[in-house]
Amino acid sequence: MYVLLYTILAGLAILPLFLYLRNPYFTQDLRYTVTCVLLWLRINRIKRSKPFYSMLDCFLDKVKKHPNKQFIVFEKSSYTYRDVDKQSNKLARALSQHASVKEGDTVALFMGNEPMYVFIWLALAKLGCRAALLNYNIRSKSLLHCFTCCGTNVLLAASELRGAVEEVLPTLREQSVSVFVLGEEEEEKCVTEGVNTLSSSRIQQASDQPLDPQLRSKVTLKSPALYIYTSGTTGLPKAAVITHEKLYMASSMQAISGVASDDVIYIYLPLYHSAGFIMGLTGAIERGSTVVLRRKFSASNFWDDCRKHKVTVIQYIGEIMRYLCNSPKKDNDRHHKVRLALGNGLRADTWSEFLQRFGDIRVCECYGATEGHVGFINYVGKVGAIGKEHFFHKANFSYVLIQYDTEREEPVKDSRGFCIKVPKGETGLLVAKITAQAPFSGYANNQEQTDRKKLRDVFVKGDLYFNSGDLLRIDHEGFVYFMDRIGDTFRWKGENVATTEVTEHLIMVECIEEANVYGVKVPGHEGRVGMAAIKLKDDMEFDSKATLEHVKTSLPSYARPRFIRIQNSLAVTGTFKQIKVKLVEEGFNPSMMQDRLYYLEDSKGYIPMTQEMFHSISDGKIHL
């Protein structure tokens, strides 16, 4: 009897050691399992609740729980949860009265990071409206397209963006879009016809009392909550549909990463982006934590802000970490309270350098697409990995890596016409099964592009999968690594750049007849920088000044080609598709080509590229 008891106790004592030897990540896997199970139970409880529980309801619960807790800290101002609630009530009434905003309307937000952005979004949610989050860098054709594709009724713009709005005003008026610019009373006296001013005095005169929930009674779990724009192979931005269900689920990323209600999160990424808005803002609401909001990223002020506001959680994209690592070293680099960094796109070398310089910060690398329904999280902290496979995750989201032919730009099929799974350790295209439990909402009013993201008859007749457009690799330990993007989109400065959109703008320059845009690798930089091979019109020379002026007015800074290569003719395939592979391989090295090459120098414009400049860029002496 005692022998058996001792044997059992001895077995239990050595069980953790046995499990660890079989799986060194057993502890992290177990913790992640518990977190996911609890989160799954909560989300399923929310899905079954009547009426449904939205992110707005979550915010209102936090207002009741800790009304006097700081929610937003911005420059010299701070707002408690109660303050933000009352301000959004005022705005909801002002929008209802002066802009005739009502349930079911789509309202576009065209502004930068500031508390008003949050107030407006909550106000729209209280009125049962959908918010279209516009990139404040876009102009002209792209801006008009964004209004049209999601059926915008009202545009709310920051006063500093009035000029951009007035450029497209005639078309907006034709589309019956009501335009309001946020401003002060004096601005109401100098209004452009068709542009209304929503002054702060009008907003403050409105009541701050709670609004009737019946104003949003028709909104359901499957209703669109947001439209977030993403670039694609079509060139123009596409409005990814973020339903209330997806918004709540995606906002749980902070919970999975270990963020708590007493954390202070630093948000400087643009709120029009899913990283800033969902992973940052609504993730903080779900946790009930405090947000330190900044207009834009500043490497020189980053750590001073973190120290000043006692920040414990930071967000990042890969480029941000590199900027921080490249900033001048200081004696107080490790003097801060940051314990967690949450983001994506961090290269292994920058990751290691960041930890070595700034201390013991847990880095939680994530992967996902705004429009997608599958993602990964590196909850272990393995340097270089974007995530780790987990049985609970796979049970809820059926995904697989399939063989992909990069030359033919299509999945490889077997003799039966079905896709082929790649073995562990090999690179493949990530696809995820579309089901009722894991839906793909697609893009607003763009069935063609929505269908392009779907793969049919992948493994059996009738099945349906989401095509991520990303090539990944999963090693034998289950760690997931990002390898590359397929198609015509590349990533630079944390933004997707669509080559067809850049091409369309380049060929509008008087001297350019054809253009082939692509991304090239630069040593020491994440992603790919934009480069264009162009063919000039007959008897015309390259007009560097006109080209510079056009790209500056038409494209955001991250989308402007940094290198321009002039060719006599552009190579195409037998089906007249432009060939990019050789161009990408040759990159921006003058010694690899006979063609004239130009470099976009910030202060001088497009100037002839030299071998010395190439070496300076490659060695990091010239920063892009």
Side-chain angles (χ1 to χ4, degrees):
M1 179 69 179
Y2 288 111
V3 174
L4 178 61
L5 180 60
Y6 289 144
T7 303
I8 293 172
L9 290 174
L12 291 173
I14 66 170
L15 180 60
L17 177 61
F18 173 75
L19 292 172
Y20 176 79
L21 292 174
R22 291 203 59 181
N23 177 14
Y25 311 104
F26 171 74
T27 305
Q28 294 100 318
D29 287 344
L30 180 61
R31 188 184 302 119
Y32 181 74
T33 302
V34 173
T35 302
C36 286
V37 169
L38 293 175
L39 184 61
W40 180 81
L41 291 171
R42 186 164 80 245
I43 289 176
N44 275 275
R45 187 167 61 250
I46 288 168
K47 286 182 178 181
R48 293 193 302 269
S49 63
K50 303 284 185 187
F52 89 99
Y53 190 83
S54 67
M55 186 52 63
L56 170 61
D57 295 311
C58 181
F59 168 75
L60 294 175
D61 278 351
K62 298 301 187 293
V63 174
K64 293 176 184 176
K65 185 176 181 180
H66 36 61
N68 298 317
K69 181 178 181 178
Q70 277 192 334
F71 176 29
I72 298 175
V73 178
F74 179 76
E75 296 177 351
K76 296 181 180 180
S77 303
S78 68
Y79 303 85
T80 65
Y81 273 82
R82 178 191 283 136
D83 292 337
V84 174
D85 182 37
K86 287 181 177 293
Q87 285 297 319
S88 61
N89 288 341
K90 285 175 175 286
L91 260 161
R93 286 191 166 84
L95 290 171
S96 178
Q97 180 182 349
H98 300 293
S100 300
V101 173
K102 62 187 182 303
E103 183 175 17
D105 283 347
T106 298
V107 179
L109 274 65
F110 191 44
M111 56 197 303
N113 285 13
E114 58 177 289
M116 183 62 76
Y117 202 109
V118 184
F119 302 161
I120 293 174
W121 166 65
L122 286 168
L124 294 175
K126 290 176 178 181
L127 293 171
C129 298
R130 306 157 179 177
L133 312 184
L134 304 184
N135 181 336
Y136 53 75
N137 293 298
I138 59 174
R139 296 292 185 271
S140 60
K141 182 181 177 182
S142 295
L143 187 56
L144 285 173
H145 169 77
C146 289
F147 294 125
T148 305
C149 68
C150 64
T152 300
N153 306 92
V154 179
L155 167 65
L156 294 176
S159 58
E160 64 268 20
L161 293 170
R162 178 188 286 268
V165 173
E166 291 178 348
E167 286 179 13
V168 296
L169 190 58
T171 306
L172 293 180
R173 295 178 68 180
E174 288 176 10
Q175 296 177 1
S176 301
V177 175
S178 300
V179 179
F180 287 83
V181 172
L182 300 166
E184 300 303 326
E185 285 186 83
E186 55 267 22
E187 294 183 62
E188 293 184 350
K189 300 174 184 177
C190 53
V191 172
T192 304
E193 185 180 357
V195 178
N196 306 288
T197 299
L198 186 61
S199 65
S200 56
S201 61
R202 284 187 179 183
I203 296 169
Q204 293 309 316
Q205 287 169 9
S207 169
D208 64 3
Q209 293 304 299
L211 280 82
D212 186 350
Q214 286 300 309
L215 291 172
R216 56 182 186 275
S217 60
K218 296 178 183 177
V219 178
T220 69
L221 195 66
K222 301 294 183 181
S223 298
L226 303 169
Y227 295 112
I228 296 182
Y229 294 84
T230 176
S231 298
T233 54
T234 57
L236 291 170
K238 301 189 293 292
V241 180
I242 310 298
T243 64
H244 285 276
E245 178 183 23
K246 180 173 180 177
L247 177 61
Y248 201 98
M249 293 182 69
S251 300
S252 302
M253 187 62 73
Q254 286 193 27
I256 296 173
S257 304
V259 178
S261 62
D262 59 352
D263 275 312
V264 178
I265 184 168
Y266 187 47
I267 299 178
Y268 53 85
L269 298 177
L271 291 176
Y272 65 73
H273 196 284
S274 56
F277 194 93
I278 300 177
M279 286 184 65
L281 176 65
T282 58
I285 290 174
E286 194 277 333
R287 296 280 80 195
S289 53
T290 299
V291 168
V292 175
L293 185 65
R294 188 179 174 89
R295 291 186 189 275
K296 291 182 179 179
F297 169 73
S298 168
S300 59
N301 292 310
F302 188 93
W303 291 110
D304 288 338
D305 279 351
C306 289
R307 281 184 280 269
K308 177 181 178 181
H309 299 293
K310 296 180 173 58
V311 170
T312 57
V313 179
I314 59 173
Q315 278 190 281
Y316 70 86
I317 54 173
E319 285 292 292
I320 296 299
M321 298 300 224
R322 185 175 66 82
Y323 295 150
L324 293 176
C325 289
N326 288 343
S327 63
K329 291 185 177 182
K330 297 181 179 180
D331 293 337
N332 63 347
D333 277 344
R334 286 174 169 247
H335 297 167
H336 56 76
K337 293 184 178 296
V338 176
R339 65 173 187 84
L340 175 65
L342 180 64
N344 59 72
L346 181 56
R347 292 192 328 173
D349 56 346
T350 305
W351 190 330
S352 299
E353 183 182 353
F354 178 84
L355 294 178
Q356 185 176 10
R357 176 172 171 182
F358 297 107
D360 187 19
I361 299 173
R362 179 170 166 254
V363 176
C364 211
E365 175 82 358
C366 308
Y367 165 86
T370 301
E371 70 275 37
H373 66 290
V374 64
F376 298 101
I377 182 166
N378 182 355
Y379 56 88
V380 171
K382 176 76 173 287
V383 174
I386 62 170
K388 187 177 187 296
E389 284 198 302
H390 189 275
F391 73 90
F392 190 85
H393 186 234
K394 292 201 75 170
N396 286 275
F397 300 96
S398 180
Y399 62 87
V400 69
L401 303 187
I402 60 173
Q403 290 184 21
Y404 186 81
D405 189 326
T406 53
E407 292 295 322
R408 297 170 63 106
E409 296 186 342
E410 61 183 29
V412 177
K413 301 291 184 69
D414 62 17
S415 58
R416 300 172 301 162
F418 295 130
C419 295
I420 305 168
K421 296 180 182 180
V422 300
K424 291 281 188 182
E426 292 190 14
T427 299
L429 172 66
L430 172 68
V431 296
K433 195 169 187 178
I434 300 172
T435 64
Q437 290 72 37
F440 168 57
S441 301
Y443 308 106
N445 299 320
N446 196 333
Q447 193 59 47
E448 180 185 353
Q449 290 303 318
T450 298
D451 289 340
R452 281 192 182 187
K453 296 297 288 186
K454 297 176 181 177
L455 291 177
R456 301 179 186 277
D457 305 329
V458 176
F459 297 114
V460 295
K461 285 289 183 183
D463 65 9
L464 188 62
Y465 279 73
F466 167 73
N467 178 359
S468 72
D470 291 329
L471 299 173
L472 308 181
R473 177 175 61 85
I474 302 176
D475 69 14
H476 293 279
E477 289 186 310
F479 286 101
V480 187
Y481 298 86
F482 178 84
M483 305 306 291
D484 210 346
R485 299 182 71 85
I486 65 171
D488 290 335
T489 300
F490 60 90
R491 199 165 180 81
W492 180 247
K493 303 291 184 184
E495 298 279 357
N496 289 338
V497 180
T499 58
T500 48
E501 181 183 13
V502 180
T503 299
E504 286 175 4
H505 283 293
L506 282 177
I507 60 178
M508 292 174 69
V509 179
E510 179 63 22
C511 65
I512 299 175
E513 182 174 61
E514 295 179 64
N516 185 1
V517 179
Y518 48 98
V520 294
K521 291 272 191 184
V522 181
H525 292 68
E526 283 82 17
R528 298 172 187 268
V529 68
M531 184 167 179
I534 65 170
K535 178 182 181 300
L536 299 173
K537 292 178 181 177
D538 292 341
D539 302 319
M540 292 195 76
E541 287 297 316
F542 178 56
D543 190 337
S544 59
K545 185 177 180 181
T547 305
L548 173 65
E549 288 302 314
H550 189 78
V551 299
K552 282 181 67 176
T553 56
S554 303
L555 295 167
S557 57
Y558 57 80
R560 297 167 194 162
R562 208 66 197 245
F563 304 100
I564 288 183
R565 176 178 180 176
I566 299 176
Q567 297 188 296
N568 293 326
S569 62
L570 301 186
V572 295
T573 66
T575 54
F576 302 99
K577 291 182 180 178
Q578 291 180 333
I579 297 173
K580 301 177 187 285
V581 177
K582 192 169 188 296
L583 293 172
V584 171
E585 289 175 351
E586 292 173 348
F588 59 99
N589 187 347
S591 67
M592 296 285 288
M593 62 193 78
Q594 297 297 316
D595 304 322
R596 284 183 290 160
L597 191 61
Y598 288 82
Y599 164 65
L600 177 55
E601 211 275 343
D602 290 328
S603 60
K604 300 178 182 178
Y606 284 103
I607 59 176
M609 177 82 174
T610 65
Q611 197 66 39
E612 182 181 351
M613 290 165 62
F614 169 78
H615 290 308
S616 294
I617 294 171
S618 299
D619 295 341
K621 295 176 183 176
I622 296 178
H623 297 287
L624 302 186

